[in-house]
DNA sequence: TATGCCGGGAA
DNA sequence: TTCCCGGCATA
């Protein structure tokens, strides 16, 4: 997209250059004549006539062949002297045997097929004025036939490296008319000068040298590019507005995408960020190549209250193994490592019966306390606990043969979800048995690792919202109330 | 559109 | 730590 944008912007660059630089001198002397022609620098106000061929030349060298209007017709001449101060050129007209003094703008460096109309001798300006900006192709110098290519090269050049407007190599004999073709071709009609100006800028600087000075570059070229950059910055900044976290040292994940550096506190977040912003994946496509984002983030540690998007180098990246840190020990304080598989000691005391107790109707029947048959038990808020533990069914043969039981006897690794511990009641089991499909054994059906980190797929299990309805929100589990992952009806 | 829930802020 | 919510992903 960028190229297109730049191309698009590049094109009116000339206009920018023309209009934004009233100082003709700043635009080389070639601009001055143009200015004069447009009536700004000259007393004569009138539509621009055919641009003198010298327009884009800084300097005429003694001995250089030029053409001037003399006696109403164009006469070839030889430059004797070019007075830069007065911008006058002393020209010898061999055909007439005369020496004439002409303003630079009245000097052509190549013959015109259509001789310019009689010039006003006093000002040296052509009497014939044309309101049309289009420069007749007949005014094109032979060299200018390559103008299209040169302009293309110019665009490419500017695209390839810098905002500098690179002047294509050009000899002094290559002049104006081509510019008219390229720039004055009608779009830039009104202040006809603009087209010429821009082109004069681009085409007129003699090759190979007088490179555009930085000042010029800034004053001329940057406007367009600046806008471009600003656009880019705007996009980036909008996208990465720093946010604060209060945690003291913690693990975060930094986007390694060029010029991004976005830091998120969770793998899921960073993956989603990469996916959506950089990989541009959504929906089905996202699922197909979900693991791709793994290569674009790395694990970092952040100190307290640091913006999540410090400038590059400010964050304290921990020399992680590689850019693809897929399974850090802990994604965030609230997330457990999916890779942690440890048989947990059943914690009967950590159960939070409040949840189940809150459901006298369905859950009061809960008889989870079969000795030895203990599920992972934790406070319902454990979704925020750092170290969730997966409970393995104790050896004590629980008579309850629950699908949940079997599924949880092994490590329950769910997509993007920590090992949530939960208290299970008969009511829940009933619900799960009757409303939710039997969970297959995780080990056999667990998705590829790359899929785990993403937002977990919505399960079939009912959630508090569905079970109790919004009107009984008070009966929801805390997580549901907080719009967190449901702790009561786990997938 | 409804739902689930992540990420983050406020108290 | 608890509570809440904006906003995104998904069904």
């Amino acid at each position: 997209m960028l190229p297109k944008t730049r191309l698009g912007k590049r094109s009116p660059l000339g206009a920018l250059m023309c209009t934004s630089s009233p100082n003709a001198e700043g635009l080389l002397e070639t601009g001055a004549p143009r200015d004069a022609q447009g009536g700004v620098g000259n007393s004569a106000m009138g539509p621009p006539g055919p641009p003198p061929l010298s327009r884009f030349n800084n300097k005429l060298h003694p001995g250089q062949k030029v053409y001037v209007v003399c006696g109403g017709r164009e006469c070839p001449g030889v430059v004797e002297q070019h007075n830069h101060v007065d911008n006058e050129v002393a020209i010898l007209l061999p055909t007439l045997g005369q020496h004439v003094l002409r303003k630079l703008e009245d000097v052509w460096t190549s013959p015109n097929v259509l001789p310019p109309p009689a010039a006003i001798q006093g000002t040296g300006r052509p009497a014939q004025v044309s309101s049309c900006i289009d420069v007749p192709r007949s005014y094109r110098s032979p060299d200018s036939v390559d103008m299209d290519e040169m302009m293309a090269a110019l665009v490419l050049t500017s695209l390839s490296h810098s905002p500098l407007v690179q002047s294509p190599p050009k000899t002094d004999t290559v002049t104006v008319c081509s510019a008219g073709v390229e720039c004055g071709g009608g779009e830039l009609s009104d202040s006809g000068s603009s087209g010429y100006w821009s082109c004069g800028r681009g085409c007129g600087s003699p090759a190979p040298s007088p490179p555009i000075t930085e000042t010029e570059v800034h004053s001329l070229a940057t406007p367009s590019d600046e806008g471009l950059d600003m656009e880019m910055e705007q996009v980036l900044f909008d996208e990465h507005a720093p946010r604060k976290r209060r945690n003291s040292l913690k693990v975060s994940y930094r986007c390694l995408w060029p010029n991004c550096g976005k830091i998120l506190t969770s793998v899921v977040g960073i993956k989603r960020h990469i996916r959506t912003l950089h990989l541009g994946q959504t929906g089905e496509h996202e699922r197909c190549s979900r693991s791709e984002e793994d290569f674009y983030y790395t694990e970092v540690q952040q100190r307290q209250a640091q913006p999540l998007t410090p400038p590059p180098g400010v964050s304290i990246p921990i020399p992680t193994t590689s850019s693809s840190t897929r399974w850090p020990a802990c994604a965030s304080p609230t997330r457990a490592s999916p890779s942690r598989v440890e048989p947990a000691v059943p914690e009967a005391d950590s159960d939070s019966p409040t949840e189940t107790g809150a459901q006298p109707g369905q859950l009061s029947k809960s008889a989870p306390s079969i000795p030895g048959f203990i599920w992972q038990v934790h406070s319902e808020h454990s979704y925020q606990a750092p170290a969730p533990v997966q409970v393995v069914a104790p050896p004590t043969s629980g008579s309850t043969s629950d699908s949940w039981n079997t599924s949880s006897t092994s490590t329950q690794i769910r997509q993007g979800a920590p090992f949530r511990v939960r208290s299970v009641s008969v009511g829940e089991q009933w619900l799960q048995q009757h409303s939710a499909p039997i969970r297959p054994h995780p080990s056999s059906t667990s998705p590829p690792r790359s899929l785990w980190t993403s937002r977990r797929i919505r399960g079939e299990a009912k959630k508090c919202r569905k079970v109790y309805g919004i009107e009984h929100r008070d009966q929801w589990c805390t997580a549901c109330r907080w719009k967190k992952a449901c702790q009561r009806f786990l997938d």
Side-chain angles (χ1 to χ4, degrees):
Chain A
M1 267 336 200
L2 192 59
K4 280 184 179 177
T5 304
R6 282 182 175 262
L7 277 173
K9 293 206 167 206
R10 218 25 111 172
S11 182
L13 172 62
L16 273 176
M17 293 160 62
C18 308
T19 56
S20 66
S21 185
N23 181 8
E25 293 302 319
L27 275 181
L28 301 178
E29 297 165 37
T30 59
R34 189 64 228 164
D35 214 12
Q37 196 171 35
V40 175
N42 208 312
S43 57
M45 299 289 290
L53 297 182
S54 62
R55 191 106 320 157
F56 300 103
N57 294 330
N58 262 334
K59 183 178 179 181
L60 295 175
H61 307 283
Q64 183 175 353
K65 187 175 183 180
V66 296
Y67 298 85
V68 298
V69 174
C70 186
R73 36 189 300 271
E74 180 183 271
C75 300
V78 177
V79 173
E80 290 183 329
Q81 189 177 3
H82 180 187
N83 185 342
H84 289 272
V85 177
D86 298 326
N87 222 20
E88 290 180 333
V89 183
I91 300 169
L92 168 64
L93 303 177
T95 57
L96 302 177
Q98 296 178 355
H99 294 269
V100 297
L101 200 60
R102 287 287 186 271
K103 291 285 185 182
L104 178 63
E105 58 266 32
D106 298 320
V107 178
W108 288 260
T109 54
S110 62
N112 293 327
V113 173
L114 295 179
I120 300 174
Q121 194 65 18
T123 61
R125 296 188 68 255
Q128 184 248 17
V129 290
S130 168
S131 61
C132 176
I133 293 184
D134 287 338
V135 176
R137 288 193 83 91
S138 56
Y139 278 93
R140 298 180 63 180
S141 68
D143 292 340
S144 67
V145 294
D146 291 331
M147 194 52 209
D148 290 351
E149 291 179 16
M150 296 178 64
M151 286 303 292
L154 171 65
V155 170
L156 289 176
T157 303
S158 56
L159 284 176
S160 61
H161 30 89
S162 73
L164 292 179
V165 179
Q166 301 290 340
S167 302
K170 209 149 171 41
T171 63
D172 284 348
T173 57
V174 178
T175 47
V176 166
C177 297
S178 55
V181 170
E182 196 56 35
C183 307
E187 301 177 28
L188 310 171
S189 57
D190 179 36
S191 68
S193 59
S194 54
Y196 299 118
W197 276 78
S198 63
C199 290
R201 186 75 193 94
C203 316
S205 51
S209 59
I212 301 169
T213 66
E214 282 222 5
T215 308
E216 292 178 62
V217 167
H218 282 300
S219 63
L220 299 176
T222 49
S224 64
D225 274 0
E226 206 169 59
L228 230 179
D229 293 343
M230 287 178 66
E231 288 177 10
M232 296 289 291
E233 285 181 7
Q234 209 165 3
V235 169
L236 290 176
F237 288 171
D238 287 348
E239 199 51 50
H240 306 129
R243 295 174 178 174
K244 289 185 180 176
R245 295 299 299 270
R246 294 190 211 107
N247 300 351
S248 53
L249 197 60
K250 68 175 188 176
V251 179
S252 302
Y253 300 93
R254 186 160 58 112
C255 177
L256 294 175
W257 199 269
N259 298 326
C260 179
K262 172 103 173 175
I263 296 181
L264 291 178
T265 55
S266 72
V267 176
V268 177
I270 193 66
K271 286 196 170 192
R272 187 167 63 181
H273 160 80
I274 293 169
R275 216 164 51 228
T276 56
L277 260 75
H278 302 316
L279 299 179
Q281 295 175 350
T282 55
E284 290 298 316
H285 179 54
E286 158 194 340
R287 294 182 189 171
C288 297
S289 56
R290 188 171 296 202
S291 62
E292 190 178 347
E293 61 267 26
D294 290 345
F295 297 95
Y296 297 106
Y297 69 89
T298 187
E299 182 180 352
V300 299
Q301 276 193 358
Q302 284 194 310
R303 296 195 181 279
Q304 185 172 15
Q306 271 195 340
L308 281 183
T309 55
V314 173
S315 68
I316 309 159
I318 289 186
T320 49
T321 56
S322 72
S323 61
S324 59
T325 312
R326 266 160 277 268
W327 296 105
C330 182
S332 77
T334 65
R335 298 283 176 266
S337 164
S339 62
R340 280 181 63 175
V341 179
E342 21 178 283
V345 178
E347 303 177 9
D349 58 338
S350 62
D351 189 5
S352 69
T354 55
E355 272 315 304
T356 55
Q359 310 306 322
Q362 288 177 326
L363 305 180
S364 60
K365 296 183 290 182
S366 64
S369 54
I370 298 174
F373 187 87
I374 300 179
W375 290 82
Q376 63 261 46
V377 234
H378 260 267
S379 160
E380 194 168 337
H381 302 177
S382 62
Y383 77 91
Q384 289 181 327
V389 173
Q390 174 57 42
V391 171
V392 176
T396 56
S397 61
S399 58
T400 308
S401 61
D402 179 29
S403 62
W404 256 92
N405 187 6
T406 56
S407 67
S408 61
T409 50
S410 64
T411 304
Q412 179 181 356
I413 300 176
R414 284 182 296 100
Q415 193 179 27
F419 296 119
R420 296 215 172 88
V421 235
R422 61 186 298 269
S423 57
V424 175
S425 66
V426 171
E428 285 185 55
Q429 293 175 23
W430 182 91
L431 280 174
Q432 290 154 7
Q433 285 177 344
H434 291 271
S435 62
I438 294 178
R439 243 176 308 273
H441 198 286
S443 61
S444 61
T445 62
S446 59
R449 276 199 158 191
S450 58
L451 299 182
W452 294 348
T453 52
S454 65
R455 178 190 285 256
R456 65 171 155 174
I457 298 173
R458 186 183 302 179
E460 299 279 339
K462 290 182 183 302
K463 303 297 180 185
C464 293
R465 181 197 292 259
K466 279 187 179 177
V467 172
Y468 306 115
I470 297 181
E471 61 275 14
H472 297 110
R473 193 163 182 254
D474 55 337
Q475 294 182 353
W476 295 5
C477 69
T478 309
C480 279
R481 271 181 278 147
W482 295 350
K483 294 170 74 174
K484 298 289 183 184
C486 179
Q487 294 302 298
R488 184 171 296 162
F489 306 105
L490 295 174
D491 287 334

